[in-house]
Each structure stands twice: as structure tokens, then as C-alpha cells.
Amino acid sequence: MEIQSERELAAITRLKDLFLGLQAERYVDIDRRVQRPVFLKPQGHARGVFTLQPNLPEELRIGVFTQREFSAWVRFSSDTVPQVPDAANSTLGLAIKLLGVPGRKLLEGEGQALTHDFVLQNHDVFFSDDAEAFADFIEASLSSAEAFEEFLASHPATDAILQEMAKEEDSVLLARYSSTVPYAFGNRFVKYAVRPGRGTRPPGPQAERGPDFLRRDLRRRLLKDGAHFDFFLQFQKDPEAMPLEKATVRWSEELSPLIKVATLVLPAGQDIDTPGQPEAIDNLSFSPWHALEVHAPAGSINRARRAVYKASADYRRRRNHVPISEPLEAV
């Protein structure tokens, strides 16, 4: 979907400048490496197997959902800087990179890559409707505490969503994830959802909640039990009630129930601290536009992400001397 107005184009330019400026500032302040602008605290990674449900209806066999199984890399993260304790920010990210996916990808410069990305977080709506509102939000948040408070006071819907996002999470493997924004599914539109699957046990009553408890919990669980997630589609049934261009609007699961289409299994016995692997996965980029055209991102927020993610990934790779590359296998 093309940029819809000059105002949107101007907002996307503002967002690129804001996020690149944030990356440059953190390069000096953190460890003299350029970090991601968002979801930069890594909680851990895992190799997995993404398996489609047997006997999917023909209408669901589109794009990546035409194949039986993919190997995958998964990255769990928090939307904060690494020094912030886990309990102080519970906005979590889940990025899935499927391997061995044929077909041209939408992202500039990576069209021939044999991978496909899903980018999700642990909330089902975004806190700004469109690129212009998002740019206003970022400018206010980076200005001063007083300016940000004034912004939230004048944008009650954004304030309410941010309060919803402040929910506590006990484990990255117990969180419920959503794409938050829509994607094409052939000639229809969907949101993606990921839920903990069978056998995922809650933490014990005395679970330790130190500064990095999410990472320690993930390491312990993957070493011992592995993990299991279910992957769902939610179709747009009513364009008015389930809009593409207003990212703060929740898509009702009563109006459009989730449809399970795949499972994601992270096998037991993995150690997220295996030498070399954390650095290799953190050097990867994950983008909603690293996707087949039949799964093209939709809406203003996604159009902004196309430009911002690409600019920030290119800047990070250039300054860190990391070449553009995609993994070929998950072992």
C-alpha cells in the first residue's frame, strides 16, 4: 500500500530522523555499538520449528501457509535499554524469522532472501492511529517529562493504551502476542496472534524477579522443557469496525474469532548463552516488510515502519560493520 498523503510522507521523514538520532545518541551512551531504536533489550533467542496445521482449508493456503513446515529463528526482547530492570518495562517483542521461504520479498535490497519475518508484541493494538500521530508522540516523549505529560493529557486514547501495556509479565513464554497492525492475506486482511500452547507451565509462587528475571526464566525453560506456541489469523470482517488505517482500534475476537493455522515449537535443550549465538541473532534485522507480497503490511503505521526499519537497520549495520545477510538454517 502506497503512502497516502504529503502529510504522511512528512511524518515518516520525521520518524526516520527521530529514530536515527536516538540510535546515534545511544551509540555513545551505551557501549559504542549502534543498537536497535526499539525493542533493543534482548531477552534471548531460540531455534524453532513452525508447522502448519494439517488439512488447512484451501482458502487459507496462501503464501507461507502453502508449505508444511519451516525451521525458524525466534528473538524475544523488551522495548527498553538493556540496563533497565525487566519489572520496570513489560512491553515485550517476539520476532519470528522463517527459513527456506521461496519467492520475492518486499524489502528493498533483500528481495531474493529465503526468509520471511513476523514481528509481534504483547499487546493487540498500537498506541497511535497513524504515522503522523506516532511522530507527534515520539517528539513529545523525547522532549521533556512535562511535554510528554501534556501530550498524554491531550491524547486520552493513547494514554489508556499505554496503561494497558503496563501489565506485568511473568515470562516471555507465557505472554500473548499480536501483530497489533494488519497485513494482507491475498485479497483479504488479517492480524496475526501467537498464544502459549500446551504444556507451558506458569512460574512457581516463589519465582525470583531480579533485574533480568525474564532472561533467566527463558534460559531455564528452554534448557529443561522447550516451549510451544499456537499461531493464529484474525480476518478483517467489517472494514468499519476493523479498520486498516486506525491502529488504536481493537479488532473484536467476537466479531472475528482467531483461527489456528500453525504451531511454533522451540525444542528443549537449547542454551541462549551458547557462545556466539546471541551476537549472531542480535545482528539480524527483523522487519514486517521482509515478507512475501501476498502478506504485505497494511496501514499507515506499517508504511512508516517500512522506511524507519530499513533506515535504522542500514545505519546499525554500517556503523557496526555487519554485512546484510539472512540465516540459511537454524542449527
Side-chain angles (χ1 to χ4, degrees):
M1 299 177 69
E2 297 298 325
I3 291 173
Q4 295 191 332
S5 70
E6 290 297 322
R7 293 182 64 160
E8 181 173 283
L9 180 60
I12 291 173
T13 299
R14 276 197 290 154
L15 284 166
K16 283 198 296 184
D17 291 343
L18 288 164
F19 280 117
L20 288 175
L22 189 59
Q23 284 180 284
E25 179 182 336
R26 286 171 172 166
Y27 169 79
V28 174
D29 288 347
I30 296 180
D31 62 2
R32 304 205 65 79
R33 279 180 59 83
V34 173
Q35 308 288 328
R36 287 172 166 82
V38 293
F39 293 95
L40 67 159
K41 181 175 183 177
Q43 296 297 350
H45 64 278
R47 52 184 168 79
V49 180
F50 186 90
T51 305
L52 270 64
Q53 289 290 95
N55 303 316
L56 274 183
E58 190 64 30
E59 64 176 7
L60 300 183
R61 294 183 175 275
I62 291 176
V64 299
F65 302 98
T66 60
Q67 296 196 46
R68 180 73 182 97
E69 186 175 282
F70 299 94
S71 295
W73 276 113
V74 175
R75 179 182 186 263
F76 296 98
S77 60
S78 293
D79 190 18
T80 187
V81 296
Q83 295 87 342
V84 171
D86 287 339
N89 186 311
S90 54
T91 302
L92 305 180
L94 167 62
I96 304 169
K97 188 176 290 290
L98 303 183
L99 312 182
V101 182
R104 185 166 185 80
K105 310 309 182 298
L106 292 168
L107 195 62
E108 296 86 346
E110 300 181 27
Q112 301 304 315
L114 296 175
T115 48
H116 181 103
D117 295 351
F118 295 112
V119 179
L120 308 101
Q121 66 183 67
N122 64 330
H123 201 61
D124 61 345
V125 292
F126 199 67
F127 52 77
S128 297
D129 269 332
D130 53 33
E132 187 174 3
F134 188 25
D136 291 343
F137 171 90
I138 296 298
E139 284 183 339
S141 68
L142 296 177
S143 176
S144 67
E146 293 78 9
F148 192 47
E149 287 179 6
E150 290 178 5
F151 178 89
L152 293 180
S154 62
H155 295 78
T158 293
D159 190 26
I161 292 171
L162 291 176
Q163 291 184 45
E164 291 175 359
M165 293 172 66
K167 57 185 175 292
E168 291 188 4
E169 298 284 9
D170 293 321
S171 170
V172 299
L173 299 181
L174 292 169
R176 297 159 64 90
Y177 296 94
S178 169
S179 63
T180 74
V181 285
Y183 293 78
F185 193 85
N187 60 3
R188 295 185 289 172
F189 295 96
V190 298
K191 287 186 179 182
Y192 306 125
V194 172
R195 303 285 187 265
R198 56 178 173 76
T200 307
R201 297 195 299 270
Q206 303 301 320
E208 181 186 357
R209 295 180 71 88
D212 297 309
F213 74 91
L214 290 174
R215 181 179 181 83
R216 290 197 304 274
D217 172 87
L218 175 62
R219 183 172 188 265
R220 186 184 72 252
R221 288 171 180 268
L222 287 181
L223 280 169
K224 182 179 179 183
D225 301 319
H228 183 286
F229 289 99
D230 296 324
F231 190 99
F232 298 87
L233 303 177
Q234 184 188 25
F235 281 91
Q236 183 195 48
K237 294 291 185 67
D238 180 344
E240 293 296 321
M242 308 170 78
L244 301 181
E245 298 295 338
K246 292 185 177 180
T248 63
V249 177
R250 179 168 283 115
W251 287 18
S252 166
E253 291 186 21
E254 291 186 4
L255 179 62
S256 179
L258 301 182
I259 300 172
K260 181 178 174 179
V261 292
T263 58
L264 175 64
V265 176
L266 311 181
Q270 302 186 62
D271 188 349
I272 64 176
D273 290 333
T274 297
Q277 277 193 7
E279 295 79 9
I281 299 304
D282 215 46
N283 280 336
L284 296 176
S285 66
F286 295 85
S287 169
W289 287 89
H290 192 85
L292 296 167
E293 186 173 3
V294 292
H295 302 307
S300 181
I301 294 297
N302 265 331
R303 290 191 292 274
R305 292 164 104 189
R306 181 174 196 162
V308 173
Y309 277 46
K310 181 72 166 62
S312 65
D314 287 349
Y315 177 69
R316 184 164 62 96
R317 285 164 165 160
R318 185 171 64 252
R319 294 300 298 267
N320 294 341
H321 306 289
V322 175
I324 295 176
S325 64
E326 289 290 299
L328 297 178
E329 56 186 30
V331 296

